[in-house]
Amino acid sequence: MAAKCTAEFLGTFLLIFTVGCNVLGGSAVWGGVSIACVLMVAIYSMGGISGANFNPAVSMTLGISKAMGGPGLDWKTVGIYCGVQSAAGVAAALCYSALFGESFNLAPAKGFAWYHAGLCELLYTLMLCFVVMNVAAAKKNVQEKNQYYGLAIGFVIIAGAYGAGAVSGGCFNPAVALGIDVSSAGLGFGWCGPYILFELAGAALAAVLFKVVRPEDFEGEKTSATELVSEFLGTYILVLTVGLNVLGKSKAAAFSIAASLTSMIYALGDVSGAHFNPAVTVAILASGRCPDLTHAKAGTFIGAQIAGGIAAAFTYAFIYKGATFALGPVGDFTWAGVSVAEIVFTFVLCFTVLCVAVSERTKASHLFGLAIGSCVTVGGFAVGGISGGSLNPAVSFGIAAAQVLNGGFFYKAVIYSLLEFAGGAAAAGVFKVTHEVETALPEGKIEA
């Protein structure tokens, strides 16, 4: 236990010390990436020692999961870990305050109420704990010893820091909230209480949702409803991250959105296939390479994805007190420019999915999530200034649905979706040509 506690203290200390140095050092653009990377390297370094929780919310999720009959930690270990992590958080915060000669306060951003910040903390703590459970605790992933677990968990911080961070500060960790509040007690103290409550609520909900999407880890059976919940959740997190980044005027929106997609693909790829995009579902269906994906099943997937997108859009509109944003050409660009942008980069996304996740010849067993998520980075930065870089009918429907609250027109979502479906269909057609060898050779005889 001494080795485990030392690992938990060190990892949590490094995480929170890095948080403080980035905030006080004024690293507005790369701060979220820096914090995500220190978490990632600490997880890879010490995951085999203590499990690399570095967060009382993660430990609580593991405790709740264990209590429900799934994988996790016993309550004694949870208690010890939480105490060590909290002590490390306070120690790290005092150290960065001494280093810079100042501190910063914990509170919702100006113009936001406690429930806006609380909802952000709940949702992204939920995402963090949910991803941890799926990539590092799920029995299947433990047995297969995947090598992407640290990347998937670290990328949650990139997803949340640039979106939710503009509202709540982006703690997603009771040890972070406690450390910041204690070190800045001279500026005001007390916000760590509600922050921690919302974070622990997110942790509990993550444990429940983990049981829903992986019933086999709790001696249950997987059903079609399990897959639909998976598609809804993944799309919800993706579209929520889109909205929060746009409304928060993030300086790294495309990368943050891509990170959310990467993390959720790694978390749920072996549950539903992690499409999270009707254009991807259509591309896979059109490719003919997934016999289990029938037309009826594809229809239910698309329904779940669009429902997740709309639900997420109304969530970000609530957080920003009714503010939304429009779907359509950006600046001086026309619908012709939008058409090219959405078709080409939805093609890139769908073609990459088919190549790295469907094809047996070019499948990327560990890097598939990063490859697919990177397509959003590519398209977001390349054509975000032309079409907004939706590349996903669920994103388009969500944005348009929320914008109706402020007098927007829903028909734009239909236009975008048709363009995106065209990109997906084109991807399936080209994939059939480039990967024809897989169907030409007998099964098991694919040449290297």
Side-chain angles (χ1 to χ4, degrees):
M1 183 57 75
K4 293 181 178 180
C5 288
T6 301
E8 286 298 310
F9 185 95
L10 178 59
T12 310
F13 181 95
L14 291 174
L15 171 63
I16 296 168
F17 188 71
T18 304
V19 169
C21 289
N22 273 281
V23 173
L24 294 173
S27 181
V29 177
W30 290 100
V33 176
S34 171
I35 296 163
C37 286
V38 76
L39 177 60
M40 179 179 68
V41 299
I43 287 171
Y44 281 126
S45 299
M46 292 177 280
I49 306 300
S50 66
N53 296 8
F54 309 146
N55 183 335
V58 170
S59 298
M60 286 295 295
T61 302
L62 287 162
I64 295 170
S65 174
K66 181 78 170 179
M68 293 191 298
L73 297 174
D74 61 85
W75 286 116
K76 179 181 178 181
T77 302
V78 170
I80 294 172
Y81 274 18
C82 288
V84 170
Q85 294 154 357
S86 298
V90 172
L94 293 175
C95 285
Y96 70 63
S97 297
L99 177 63
F100 283 87
E102 60 178 321
S103 59
F104 56 95
N105 209 4
L106 179 70
K110 185 178 180 180
F112 294 98
W114 63 269
Y115 48 86
H116 298 130
L119 184 56
C120 285
E121 290 295 312
L122 185 154
L123 289 171
Y124 281 93
T125 304
L126 183 161
M127 179 189 178
L128 175 60
C129 296
F130 183 75
V131 170
V132 169
M133 294 302 296
N134 279 280
V135 303
K139 293 177 182 178
K140 181 178 180 181
N141 282 325
V142 170
Q143 292 168 356
E144 293 179 354
K145 296 181 179 180
N146 73 72
Q147 294 301 303
Y148 52 71
Y149 62 96
L151 175 68
I153 297 166
F155 265 37
V156 174
I157 305 304
I158 296 174
Y162 293 101
V167 178
S168 68
C171 293
F172 322 138
N173 184 333
V176 173
L178 178 63
I180 293 172
D181 218 14
V182 169
S183 68
S184 63
L187 304 174
F189 180 83
W191 273 107
C192 68
Y195 268 60
I196 290 172
L197 288 176
F198 277 106
E199 289 156 0
L200 293 180
L205 187 54
V208 173
L209 290 174
F210 174 66
K211 183 176 182 179
V212 171
V213 299
R214 294 189 185 271
E216 63 274 18
D217 279 29
F218 297 81
E219 299 183 359
E221 293 184 3
K222 182 178 177 181
T223 65
S224 58
T226 302
E227 296 179 325
L228 296 181
V229 171
S230 169
E231 288 298 310
F232 179 94
L233 285 174
T235 311
Y236 178 91
I237 291 295
L238 172 63
V239 178
L240 177 66
T241 306
V242 169
L244 293 179
N245 271 277
V246 173
L247 292 172
K249 296 179 173 59
S250 166
K251 297 182 182 298
F255 191 31
S256 175
I257 297 163
S260 73
L261 179 59
T262 297
S263 293
M264 295 305 287
I265 286 173
Y266 279 133
L268 295 170
D270 61 343
V271 175
S272 66
H275 301 185
F276 310 150
N277 184 334
V280 168
T281 300
V282 167
I284 295 174
L285 179 66
S287 74
R289 299 297 179 85
C290 292
D292 291 340
L293 185 65
T294 63
H295 286 81
K297 185 175 182 179
T300 61
F301 270 34
I302 291 172
Q305 293 155 1
I306 291 176
I310 293 174
F314 282 107
T315 302
Y316 69 63
F318 171 78
I319 291 171
Y320 271 86
K321 299 172 291 184
T324 58
F325 53 95
L327 189 69
V330 178
D332 295 330
F333 286 96
T334 66
W335 280 100
V338 168
S339 299
V340 173
E342 289 295 313
I343 291 174
V344 169
F345 286 96
T346 304
F347 168 89
V348 172
L349 173 60
C350 294
F351 185 72
T352 301
V353 170
L354 292 171
C355 292
V356 304
V358 176
S359 168
E360 290 297 328
R361 186 182 183 86
T362 56
K363 182 176 290 185
S365 300
H366 294 287
L367 294 179
F368 62 96
L370 179 61
I372 298 167
S374 295
C375 294
V376 175
T377 304
V378 172
F381 284 119
V383 297
I386 299 175
S387 66
S390 174
L391 319 181
N392 183 334
V395 173
S396 300
F397 269 80
I399 292 172
Q403 181 66 2
V404 169
L405 297 173
N406 292 312
F409 298 102
F410 195 77
Y411 75 87
K412 293 181 180 180
V414 178
I415 297 174
Y416 266 68
S417 295
L418 290 174
L419 297 171
E420 291 151 358
F421 281 130
V430 174
F431 174 75
K432 285 186 175 182
V433 175
T434 59
H435 290 65
E436 182 183 13
V437 64
E438 293 180 5
T439 56
L441 291 173
E443 187 176 351
K445 298 294 186 179
I446 295 176
E447 298 174 351

